[in-house]
């Protein structure tokens, strides 16, 4: 069992190393390619909009595939994303084409997140005590360390180095997927003809949908800060090396809270933990918005662990415990759609427009407002009686 945990740990370490090159420094790369803040907002926000439509469709199809394992499906996705990212970095294409390619690339990459989570949930359902929180936390540490290295590299080399590193880390992910025990979509093994789609899942699990709506708004604020963090850092006197340090503080803070999430769930109600995580989004985003120097900014970003770091494993286990097996992949997909999709779209597009039109202060005011709105919704949903969710499924939380 320990070998399986180790292999799954390695998957997250490589997976989030790869993700850093696509998410953490995308503004640096796109600025190098000649895009303005507004165009970067359109690229990242538009990518999130495409994710809202494309990711559920991809997940629905993946849930119906019986002949190929989740690991094999992931490898196919990585081949596609590597081709797209290399094209963005090195092909002599227009800004409009770059924006379009990034929208597709981002959406496909986000679609891999629920598959990686479902692999662990399937192992748990099959009786293997995999600690998803530990693996995801190690992935955050990997993301953090990679951010430091990427910050140093982009300070001395052209940002297109990110594309080469993305491909190298994708090969590492594929190698680890090959050594993991194959697991398949549980929905694909069902004999019933009922198909899970995002609309039916949202209506069926309304409380879950409400919680994700609130976190989607809070995520809009954090996504806006994350995308334009390079501008905030420069405004405080830093550079791309400092951006790497700031990203390190965010990601490294996640490990402790992701690791202890299963223990916390045994002591506290899941929804109460989600409310606490939502409130900490206010602390995180608030400190970052009102920061008057780099140390204060880093302090705020370090609250990433107790906000996003706590939210991620808790909501993943929530899906595993409260949604039917045939809805598992779509439920995991909803997490990405409502946060990295709808939330990021709102934050990135609005943030880029406000920054170019009215200045940095207008963008930061938007971040505060949207974060408070999200926390209010999560708190209200916690006060409602649980009616739409199914009774907890028999799963082991280690």
């Amino acid at each position: 069992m320990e070998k399986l945990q180790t292999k799954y740990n390695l998957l997250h370490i490589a997976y989030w190393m790869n993700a850093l090159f696509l998410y953490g420094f995308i503004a640096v790369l796109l600025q190098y390619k000649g895009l303005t803040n507004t165009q970067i907002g359109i690229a990242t926000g538009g990518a999130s909009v495409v994710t809202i439509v494309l990711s559920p469709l991809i997940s629905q199809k993946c849930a119906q595939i019986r002949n190929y394992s989740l690991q094999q499906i992931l490898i196919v996705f990585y081949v596609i994303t590597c081709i797209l990212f290399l094209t963005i970095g090195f092909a002599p294409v227009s800004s409009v084409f770059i924006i379009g390619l990034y929208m597709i690339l981002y959406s496909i990459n986000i679609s891999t997140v629920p598959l990686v989570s479902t692999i662990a949930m399937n192992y748990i359902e099959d009786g293997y005590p995999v600690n998803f929180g530990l693996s995801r936390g190690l992935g955050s540490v990997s993301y953090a360390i990679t951010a430091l290295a990427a910050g140093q590299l982009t300070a001395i080399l052209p940002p297109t180095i990110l594309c080469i590193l993305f491909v190298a880390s994708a090969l590492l992910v594929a190698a680890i997927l090959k050594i993991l025990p194959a697991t398949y979509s549980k929905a694909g093994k069902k004999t019933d003809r009922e198909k899970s789609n995002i609309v039916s899942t949202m209506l069926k699990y309304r409380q879950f949908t409400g919680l994700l709506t609130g976190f989607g708004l809070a995520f809009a604020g954090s996504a806006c800060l994350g995308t334009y963090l390079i501008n905030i850092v420069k405004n405080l006197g830093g550079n791309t090396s400092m951006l790497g340090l700031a990203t390190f503080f965010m990601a490294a803070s996640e490990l402790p809270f992701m690791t202890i999430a299963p223990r916390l769930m045994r002591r506290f109600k899941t929804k109460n933990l989600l409310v606490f995580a939502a409130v900490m989004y206010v602390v995180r985003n608030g400190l970052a918005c009102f920061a008057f120097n780099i140390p204060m900014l880093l302090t705020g970003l370090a609250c990433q662990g107790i906000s996003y770091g706590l939210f991620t494993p808790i909501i993943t286990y929530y899906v595993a415990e409260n949604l039917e097996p045939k809805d598992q992949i779509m439920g995991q997909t909803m997490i990405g759609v409502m946060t990295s999709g709808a939330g990021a779209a709102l934050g990135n597009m609005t943030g880029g427009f406000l920054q170019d039109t009215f200045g940095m202060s207008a963008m930061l005011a938007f971040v505060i407002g949207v974060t408070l709105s999200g926390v209010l919704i999560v708190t209200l949903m916690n006060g409602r009686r649980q009616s739409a969710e199914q009774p907890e499924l028999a799963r082991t939380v280690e």
Side-chain angles (χ1 to χ4, degrees), residues 12-25 78 85 109 113 143 146 166 169 173:
H12 273 274
I13 289 171
Y15 180 89
W16 291 105
M17 177 193 302
N18 175 267
L20 180 278
F21 302 122
L22 178 61
Y23 304 146
F25 283 71
Y78 271 102
F85 208 27
N109 194 268
V113 177
Y143 190 97
T146 306
F166 179 87
S169 56
V173 173

Side-chain angles (χ1 to χ4, degrees), residues 304-318:
Q304 173 100 345
I306 204 167
S307 54
Y308 177 80
L310 188 60
F311 161 75
T312 299
I314 296 296
I315 200 68
T316 300
Y317 282 122
Y318 181 98

Side-chain angles (χ1 to χ4, degrees), residues 54-192:
L54 186 59
S55 186
L57 293 178
I58 292 175
S59 295
Q60 185 177 356
K61 294 301 181 183
C62 290
Q64 298 167 12
I65 294 176
R66 301 184 183 186
N67 299 326
Y68 297 95
S69 67
L70 297 179
Q71 288 89 337
Q72 290 172 316
I73 295 171
L74 279 166
I75 290 174
V76 171
F77 285 159
Y78 271 102
V79 172
I80 297 172
T81 55
C82 284
I83 294 173
L84 292 175
F85 208 27
L86 286 173
T87 302
I88 289 175
F90 297 102
V93 295
S94 66
S95 297
V96 174
F97 196 69
I98 289 175
I99 291 172
L101 284 178
Y102 183 73
M103 288 180 181
I104 299 172
L105 168 62
Y106 180 90
S107 182
I108 293 175
N109 194 268
I110 288 295
S111 298
T112 66
V113 177
L115 297 181
V116 173
S117 301
T118 301
I119 288 173
M121 297 305 115
N122 283 358
Y123 288 153
I124 293 173
E125 185 175 1
D126 292 338
Y128 302 107
V130 173
N131 187 331
F132 172 81
L134 172 62
S135 300
R136 182 60 184 82
L138 290 172
S140 294
V141 172
S142 173
Y143 190 97
I145 295 173
T146 306
L148 282 177
Q152 296 299 320
L153 286 173
T154 53
I156 60 177
L157 296 173
T160 48
I161 188 66
L162 297 170
C163 303
I164 298 174
L165 295 173
F166 179 87
V167 174
S169 56
L171 291 174
L172 180 59
V173 173
I176 296 171
L177 287 170
K178 293 287 289 184
I179 66 173
L180 276 170
T183 185
Y184 298 78
S185 167
K186 300 295 184 180
K189 296 181 179 181
K190 293 287 181 179
T191 58
D192 60 328

